[in-house]
Amino acid sequence: MKLAAFWRLSEQPPPHTRFTIPALSNTSSADRRTAVSVFVSSSQLRNKKMGKGLRSGRQIASLSPPNKRVSGKDVAKGKTRPNAAAPATPRANAARAKGANNTRDSQNRNLAKSMSITEKKVSKLQTKKESSESQEEDEAMVERKYNEGSKEGESGSDESGSNDEEEEVAKRTVVSSAKPTPKKSNIASTTANKKKQDYSEEEEIEDGDEDDSDDESEDKNEKVSLAPLKRKTEEEESSAADSVEDEGSDEESSDEESSGDSDEKDMGFTDENANWLKPKKATKMSLMSSDDDEQGDNIDDDEFDAAAESSDDDDDGMLEVERQSRIIDEEMELEREEAEQELRRTIAQQTSVFHLPTPEELENDENRVVPPSELRARIEDVLEVLADFNARREPGRSRSEYIERLGNDMAELFGYLQELVDYFLSMFGPNECLEFLEASEKSRPLVVRVNTLKARRKDLAAALMKRGVRLDPLAPWSKVGLKIYESTVPIGATPEYLAGQYMLQSAASMCPVMALGPQPGDRVLDMSAAPGGKTSYISQLMRNKGVIIANDLKAERQKATVANLHRLGVRNVVTCCYDGRKIGLQMRNSFDRILLDAPCSGLGVISRDPSVKVQRTMPEVLRCAHLQKELLVAAIDALNHKSKKGGGYMVYSTCSVAVAENEEVVNYLLSKRDVKLVDTGLDFGKPGFTRFEHKRFHPSVALTRRFYPHVHNMDGFFVAKIQKLSDKRKGEDVQKEHQSEMATDQVIKDDRVKVEASNKRKQEGRKKNQKNNKRGYSSNIDDNDNDDSCEKATLIRKKFKISHAPNNVQLQSSGQKKKRINAKISKPRRMKITEM
Amino acid sequence: MRPLTEEETKTLFQKLAEYMGKSVERLINRSDERHCFRLIKDRVYYVSESVMKASTSINKDNLLHCGTCLGKFTKSGKFRLHITALDYLAQYSKYKVWLKQSAEMSFLYGNNVMKSGLARITEDTPQYAGVVVYNLADIPLGFGVAAQTTDACKELAPTANVVLHQADVGEFLRGLEDDMF
């Protein structure tokens, strides 16, 4: 059936003369091609006149996706390709990016830009292969354009849509699109001239690159693919030149003529829409003929002759159209492969290598205040280089130089001490470090904890919302948290707050208490309790039953604790102010659970206190770590591993992200005491590090949990749950441990006596002191007005003395250990033993 | 920490009875656990037995508080109730006063309650009886002394005081913390 007739029947505008009937060939590609050309032409005309049978973009869109009317023959020949609607080759993307906008202005602009280049490239016009490939490329591009058009659907929105996409795509594949786009597009894009400029610049660069590629490129692949790509480039250039020039020229008349001619020549049918339809191939042919008369014509003739010949030969099985489509398909395959190669090459080559400023270059900057935008840009450049270091590095510069520069820039941009940023960089990778620093600039959302001793979360939420507060439940893992978005009233001053129905507490601070899991009736110690947020949470979990000892070093801060506890209606707390390191000695084995929220450097809560950025130095961090180790060991000593209530657990937590204060401290404990790490129950945190720099930690450290502001939107936090297995101390004489155990067993339940006994043990070895002990000792018991306990203590002391006389030697050595703590004891004359 | 002497105990109970009446004995004879009163540096604390025992192991120099602070004895031997006792007072109080929304904030700032701010008052409140002040949502705001009997209140001018302020929860924000121990 005649093509024309077919098209009339199907009510579609005729395709480009070169393209085949959809029904008879590999449908997908053919359909696309036909539709695309239609689309292309129609959009062109939209700007000029409405042609007969013209379809709007919308109608064209409906042509897609083409139905898979694949004929059996095609399947047999293996021609059914997956309906890859939009192969994401750079050329395709570029073509899409360029869009289907065909304003004359843009075309002229294109022309102007590329004229300078095209003249150069015109001279490189070549062989039959090239021309055919360029045709193929055109087709491919047209095909892509169709798909783009179909995606976008609307003619009106096409331009804008394609612009957006263009920009997106341009960003994505700015490199790769450089080469193919300007040359390929015979349908110029209307996008910003800048893009054109970029592309033309890149063309030039690329030309240069091609020349110097051997020098610069270290990538073997590039070299290998260089040759064919080079040739490819030239083809593209030529075709681009052609296309560009084509745009500039008076398309219609020449097009129509040529199309008419080629129509007649090729297909043996007349195309009634040939007037307005611009066949690309024909154009190319005519262009080439105009530039390089002989060659172009020859090429054209050759190709078509070949086609004609082949058609003559294989007349039996296939129609000419099928043959044509097969040729086109093969060409497209080839083009696709080349596009892949080109993509790889251009990405590697086209990205201008970021030049890392050397310290010498930066000397000039020392006095200049570098603007943050520049710092940020440099940071991002370095990050990009580090992401694919081998490919993107500047040759001769080491990775550490980049990291150093990154650290310097980040420290300057965010206002940190250099050593802190370097520490963060060593803990997080470069990208995550930037995220962490950025997150530490912003504040975390305000969170409130409902006091279940006095109110229910539902009721409180309702009451607050009535006051004009917008809030939400905090998270699935918390039943008492509320996140406050905004509030008309001050959250810390509502009558509900004053009545003790809730407490301002950050989400991260709730985690250690949840991990601890205190039960009603437990004896709990909170070693760093001020200002009482966690203590009150423990109490509400214990329903005001049991006992909590809330300790803190500073009595001033404990005032706030006491006030908060009263306000929240907590009744089972005893507040004291001891040095936590000494609690271990005083109250041995007397707690079921212990919470140690250790004083730390605060590197995780920088968003709350930005002064940390400049005040905390690494020595301070290490000092904190030392204190934390002491506290932790003392806490373990105070823990009762034989607790009948299923206790013997303690939780160690800090509001810092530094490894020195977290995993290292826990690891130290594992080496000093008979403990083991257990699961915290906080699955939403990140596991702790098991290794850091040159250090290696025990594998169970992975059970600890870390929280980050940039991941969880909580303060930087660390939680570790530890179970005490026995009183044994690692790395010490077994006898000593036995001794200490016996000592504790001897003591009666009265805690006062325990204290005395421990003091006693210190003096055991010195017989001289024993006489004086009574006197000196009793003066120290004056804590309690009860005289009975005094006598009790003396009795026990006597007992103790008798039973342990033979073990003097060992006790002496254990006493020596105590000597370190209290130097006064070692001197025989001294009677007074200061307890704490 | 020491238990109260006889005299101190009497003074304390007298004060509490102003607010709770006979319910004072309910403080001592509780159903769940025995509680006791202890004195730490002139402040009276109401603690359960177990908590009290735990606190005995702590040096007097280091012990700051235990249980709930009810108030403190002044130098002249009088007992002054603190806002921290509000929970217990509110639990057992005989005479209550409810405030309107408008008067709520004023009371929380430490002012006396005017008749215009009065929403409800329990019947038969004797003059100068201890009353606990609530807001309309039944949240205890503090306590005070009734300036007039209930009947007399009806004939008062709107600007006259009906409740003389003694303590309110706003004190938690107004620097009560310095007075904790």
Side-chain angles (χ1 to χ4, degrees):
Chain A
M1 132 172 98
K2 291 242 169 169
L3 261 174
F6 169 86
W7 285 117
R8 246 175 273 126
L9 275 175
S10 63
E11 290 180 359
Q12 295 172 5
H16 186 287
T17 52
R18 243 190 118 264
F19 293 83
T20 58
I21 307 168
L24 300 175
S25 66
N26 184 328
T27 52
S28 50
S29 53
D31 276 354
R32 273 181 265 137
R33 260 176 269 126
T34 56
V36 169
S37 66
V38 163
F39 171 74
V40 154
S41 345
S42 65
S43 57
Q44 251 189 326
L45 274 165
R46 231 179 294 125
N47 298 322
K48 298 167 197 166
K49 65 180 184 198
M50 289 303 283
K52 188 172 169 187
L54 185 62
R55 297 241 149 191
S56 71
R58 204 176 288 140
Q59 286 173 305
I60 289 162
S62 66
L63 291 172
S64 82
N67 298 326
K68 289 214 180 255
R69 298 183 305 246
V70 182
S71 66
K73 262 187 220 161
D74 291 336
V75 172
K77 284 164 192 158
K79 274 175 68 176
T80 48
R81 268 180 304 187
N83 191 7
T89 55
R91 232 173 268 159
N93 287 341
R96 217 175 291 126
K98 281 297 172 181
N101 299 308
N102 315 312
T103 53
R104 187 66 93 97
D105 296 341
S106 62
Q107 288 157 10
N108 285 337
R109 263 180 263 132
N110 286 348
L111 177 62
K113 287 285 173 332
S114 2
M115 270 311 269
S116 52
I117 310 158
T118 45
E119 271 156 36
K120 270 191 268 171
K121 292 163 190 172
V122 157
S123 56
K124 297 179 194 171
L125 287 183
Q126 278 21 302
T127 64
K128 176 181 174 186
K129 183 115 198 287
E130 289 168 4
S131 65
S132 67
E133 277 163 358
S134 66
Q135 289 160 23
E136 196 184 325
E137 288 155 9
D138 295 339
E139 288 148 26
M141 180 175 53
V142 161
E143 171 187 343
R144 311 285 184 271
K145 288 216 173 55
Y146 157 70
N147 289 323
E148 178 192 15
S150 63
K151 272 189 219 161
E152 284 155 5
E154 290 231 11
S155 57
S157 64
D158 278 338
E159 298 191 12
S160 53
S162 58
N163 273 343
D164 293 343
E165 200 173 303
E166 233 176 81
E167 284 168 33
E168 267 174 44
V169 171
K171 275 184 224 152
R172 257 185 287 131
T173 58
V174 72
V175 168
S176 50
S177 57
K179 255 199 205 159
T181 320
K183 300 140 196 173
K184 302 224 65 53
S185 166
N186 68 342
I187 299 132
S189 84
T190 48
T191 53
N193 285 339
K194 189 189 171 211
K195 276 210 189 85
K196 287 275 180 272
Q197 243 167 351
D198 288 348
Y199 296 126
S200 31
E201 281 167 11
E202 280 168 319
E203 279 172 50
E204 289 169 349
I205 295 166
E206 162 210 316
D207 289 346
D209 280 352
E210 280 167 40
D211 297 335
D212 302 335
S213 59
D214 292 331
D215 303 332
E216 286 175 1
S217 160
E218 294 167 1
D219 191 349
K220 285 182 191 168
N221 293 339
E222 288 168 25
K223 283 184 191 155
V224 163
S225 57
L226 194 56
L229 278 171
K230 212 165 191 171
R231 189 170 49 80
K232 189 77 190 157
T233 322
E234 289 159 10
E235 301 157 6
E236 295 161 5
E237 288 159 11
S238 64
S239 54
D242 298 339
S243 58
V244 164
E245 282 179 15
D246 173 43
E247 292 148 25
S249 65
D250 188 6
E251 299 145 66
E252 290 171 54
S253 48
S254 58
D255 292 351
E256 288 151 27
E257 279 172 86
S258 50
S259 70
D261 292 342
S262 49
D263 277 351
E264 306 257 348
K265 205 169 33 167
D266 295 348
M267 298 300 166
F269 66 89
T270 49
D271 192 342
E272 63 185 26
N273 288 327
N275 310 337
W276 53 269
L277 206 50
K278 183 181 85 153
K280 272 170 30 190
K281 179 95 187 300
T283 313
K284 282 259 149 41
M285 295 301 110
S286 66
L287 255 182
M288 292 172 81
S289 59
S290 68
D291 293 339
D292 242 339
D293 296 11
E294 303 287 325
Q295 282 187 3
D297 281 340
N298 289 343
I299 294 163
D300 187 13
D301 294 340
D302 286 348
E303 164 146 13
F304 279 105
D305 288 345
E309 282 164 11
S310 54
S311 67
D312 291 339
D313 295 339
D314 295 352
D315 229 345
D316 309 333
M318 302 194 296
L319 287 180
E320 204 181 280
V321 289
E322 285 185 334
R323 223 176 304 113
Q324 292 283 329
S325 91
R326 196 173 1 122
I327 294 169
I328 290 162
D329 287 340
E330 286 159 4
E331 288 165 352
M332 281 187 62
E333 272 297 335
L334 241 137
E335 173 221 304
R336 192 176 293 129
E337 287 158 19
E338 280 161 354
E340 300 272 348
Q341 288 175 339
E342 178 202 295
L343 168 67
R344 269 179 252 121
R345 180 168 169 270
T346 50
I347 283 178
Q349 247 193 355
Q350 279 293 295
T351 326
S352 60
V353 173
F354 167 65
H355 168 68
L356 184 73
T358 61
E360 295 82 36
E361 289 170 22
L362 285 173
E363 261 174 25
N364 308 333
D365 274 355
E366 268 173 26
N367 296 326
R368 169 169 85 101
V369 175
V370 186
S373 52
E374 191 186 314
L375 283 172
R376 193 164 265 284
R378 201 157 62 200
I379 288 173
E380 274 164 28
D381 285 333
V382 174
L383 282 177
E384 202 188 307
V385 170
L386 289 172
D388 188 7
F389 193 62
N390 283 332
R392 297 188 193 151
R393 64 185 293 185
E394 218 177 326
R397 309 295 292 276
S398 67
R399 192 189 175 92
S400 59
E401 281 183 54
Y402 283 89
I403 300 267
E404 195 190 325
R405 179 101 306 271
L406 183 67
N408 289 344
D409 285 343
M410 287 206 280
E412 202 177 321
L413 179 64
F414 292 105
Y416 282 77
L417 289 177
Q418 186 58 49
E419 53 187 0
L420 287 182
V421 172
D422 291 337
Y423 193 59
F424 291 142
L425 266 176
S426 64
M427 273 199 299
F428 308 121
N431 281 306
E432 208 182 338
C433 185
L434 183 66
E435 284 177 35
F436 171 75
L437 293 177
E438 283 176 343
S440 294
E441 295 289 305
K442 304 178 202 129
S443 59
R444 308 273 83 75
L446 184 65
V447 173
V448 141
R449 188 195 84 237
V450 172
N451 179 21
T452 51
L453 295 171
K454 286 201 175 179
R456 280 191 295 258
R457 183 159 78 158
K458 261 186 287 185
D459 303 337
L460 177 66
L464 282 176
M465 286 202 278
K466 229 171 36 165
R467 285 196 189 274
V469 180
R470 276 212 312 125
L471 45 80
D472 252 350
L474 171 63
W477 46 263
S478 168
K479 281 182 249 164
V480 292
L482 283 173
K483 188 160 48 172
I484 311 285
Y485 294 116
E486 57 188 12
S487 156
T488 50
V489 294
I491 289 286
T494 62
E496 284 81 22
Y497 174 79
L498 295 173
Q501 292 188 2
Y502 63 90
M503 166 127 191
L504 295 172
Q505 185 173 44
S506 66
S509 301
M510 298 190 203
C511 295
V513 180
M514 283 165 47
L516 184 66
Q519 305 297 319
D522 275 351
R523 257 178 79 92
V524 181
L525 169 66
D526 186 351
M527 281 176 78
S528 269
K534 299 191 182 69
T535 317
S536 49
Y537 193 7
I538 293 174
S539 175
Q540 87 182 44
L541 288 178
M542 288 165 66
R543 306 301 310 161
N544 252 334
K545 307 272 188 298
V547 183
I548 304 175
I549 314 266
N551 177 61
D552 199 272
L553 182 63
K554 297 181 185 153
E556 277 300 309
R557 293 198 72 207
Q558 288 287 57
K559 291 192 178 186
T561 315
V562 174
N564 273 323
L565 293 173
H566 277 115
R567 183 175 60 80
L568 294 163
V570 170
R571 299 177 190 173
N572 59 347
V573 176
V574 178
T575 319
C576 55
C577 62
Y578 281 114
D579 184 350
R581 297 174 278 192
K582 311 223 173 105
I583 283 191
L585 286 172
Q586 191 185 33
M587 303 194 220
R588 243 172 221 273
N589 284 24
S590 55
F591 293 103
D592 297 316
R593 286 171 204 262
I594 297 185
L595 172 66
L596 172 56
D597 185 36
C600 63
S601 59
L603 287 178
V605 287
I606 297 169
S607 49
R608 276 181 215 280
D609 181 18
S611 69
V612 167
K613 289 189 212 174
V614 289
Q615 277 181 7
R616 297 283 176 270
T617 58
M618 279 314 288
E620 268 193 48
V621 171
L622 296 172
R623 210 178 310 135
C624 283
H626 179 82
L627 172 64
Q628 286 153 3
K629 287 173 188 162
E630 288 185 289
L631 284 170
L632 192 48
V633 169
I636 287 291
D637 288 337
L639 196 53
N640 181 13
H641 58 283
K642 292 185 206 150
S643 156
K644 295 183 189 80
K645 298 169 208 153
Y649 293 100
M650 80 162 278
V651 167
Y652 170 74
S653 69
T654 59
C655 55
S656 169
V657 292
V659 176
E661 290 177 296
N662 298 339
E663 285 89 350
E664 261 192 71
V665 171
V666 172
N667 199 50
Y668 170 82
L669 178 71
L670 288 174
S671 68
K672 279 283 174 183
R673 292 287 186 272
D674 192 10
V675 294
K676 78 170 190 189
L677 280 167
V678 294
D679 191 25
T680 55
L682 306 166
D683 292 328
F684 50 94
K686 291 203 154 196
F689 300 152
T690 43
R691 59 187 181 88
F692 174 67
E693 287 179 342
H694 59 278
K695 301 176 186 147
R696 295 291 174 269
F697 304 132
H698 194 271
S700 64
V701 171
L703 286 171
T704 64
R705 287 288 175 263
R706 282 174 155 262
F707 301 96
Y708 295 129
H710 58 282
V711 176
H712 306 95
N713 201 14
M714 282 163 44
D715 296 319
F717 228 74
F718 172 81
V719 179
K721 188 166 178 182
I722 303 160
Q723 182 179 23
K724 181 176 180 181
L725 299 173
S726 76
D727 276 330
K728 276 193 274 212
R729 294 176 181 211
K730 298 191 185 172
E732 284 183 29
D733 199 4
V734 179
Q735 289 255 351
K736 267 188 228 165
E737 290 151 23
H738 182 59
Q739 207 49 249
S740 55
E741 277 189 347
M742 284 181 68
T744 47
D745 289 342
Q746 285 272 343
V747 173
I748 300 176
K749 273 120 202 171
D750 195 344
D751 289 342
R752 269 170 290 164
V753 183
K754 263 193 220 170
V755 170
E756 295 156 17
S758 66
N759 284 332
K760 266 189 48 70
R761 259 177 285 121
K762 288 180 208 168
Q763 303 141 43
E764 234 353 279
R766 282 159 248 109
K767 286 182 186 163
K768 277 189 201 169
N769 283 346
Q770 278 158 21
K771 256 195 225 167
N772 299 324
N773 261 354
K774 240 195 228 178
R775 253 181 287 147
Y777 206 59
S778 44
S779 66
N780 280 330
I781 305 176
D782 263 350
D783 305 340
N784 313 297
D785 300 332
N786 219 331
D787 292 331
D788 295 340
S789 62
C790 247
E791 292 167 40
K792 259 194 222 164
T794 36
L795 279 171
I796 290 168
R797 219 183 307 123
K798 284 181 190 153
K799 247 201 262 173
F800 206 72
K801 210 193 325 183
I802 296 162
S803 57
H804 284 275
N807 290 326
N808 258 352
V809 178
Q810 250 114 25
L811 278 170
Q812 191 126 39
S813 47
S814 73
Q816 271 171 3
K817 182 170 170 269
K818 307 284 201 280
K819 258 191 233 169
R820 265 185 266 121
I821 296 166
N822 204 336
K824 290 181 183 172
I825 291 171
S826 58
K827 300 198 182 148
R829 287 286 165 80
R830 294 277 181 152
M831 301 186 311
K832 281 235 168 160
I833 305 106
T834 50
E835 271 187 353
M836 292 291 154
Chain B
M1 182 162 85
R2 65 173 173 82
L4 297 179
T5 63
E6 278 294 321
E7 271 192 37
E8 287 163 348
T9 323
K10 219 194 308 181
T11 326
L12 173 68
F13 283 7
Q14 259 177 0
K15 190 71 178 198
L16 289 175
E18 283 180 37
Y19 290 85
M20 298 194 235
K22 292 209 200 103
S23 309
V24 180
E25 62 186 16
R26 282 213 261 161
L27 276 183
I28 309 164
N29 309 323
R30 284 168 70 112
S31 50
D32 46 0
E33 198 184 349
R34 271 199 64 157
H35 284 60
C36 50
F37 297 94
R38 285 291 179 273
L39 204 69
I40 303 176
K41 288 194 185 116
D42 286 339
R43 280 169 200 265
V44 175
Y45 291 90
Y46 180 63
V47 290
S48 69
E49 295 265 292
S50 51
V51 176
M52 191 259 300
K53 280 197 199 135
S55 62
T56 51
S57 65
I58 299 175
N59 292 347
K60 72 169 183 193
D61 299 325
N62 304 90
L63 182 62
L64 300 176
H65 113 280
C66 62
T68 315
C69 173
L70 292 180
K72 76 178 201 183
F73 280 104
T74 59
K75 296 277 195 249
S76 55
K78 299 214 177 79
F79 181 72
R80 174 168 282 280
L81 270 173
H82 276 183
I83 187 64
T84 49
L86 182 62
D87 277 346
Y88 294 106
L89 292 182
Q91 204 176 359
Y92 299 117
S93 65
K94 265 169 79 172
Y95 307 113
K96 304 182 200 213
V97 161
W98 284 263
L99 294 188
K100 293 182 195 163
Q101 283 284 82
S102 49
E104 201 182 307
M105 288 315 288
S106 166
F107 180 70
L108 288 177
Y109 276 110
N111 302 320
N112 298 327
V113 179
M114 292 198 293
K115 176 151 173 250
S116 55
L118 194 64
R120 270 161 57 191
I121 185 165
T122 45
E123 280 293 322
D124 294 332
T125 318
Q127 196 181 25
Y128 305 131
V131 294
V132 176
V133 177
Y134 293 84
N135 78 351
L136 288 174
D138 265 341
I139 299 175
L141 298 176
F143 53 85
V145 171
Q148 302 289 339
T149 60
T150 318
D151 303 326
C153 283
K154 295 172 190 161
E155 287 125 37
L156 279 179
T159 53
N161 284 334
V162 292
V163 175
L164 300 168
H165 169 282
Q166 294 231 303
D168 66 272
V169 282
E171 282 172 26
F172 282 115
L173 296 177
R174 292 205 308 271
L176 175 75
E177 290 165 10
D178 297 330
D179 198 29
M180 276 287 107
F181 46 77

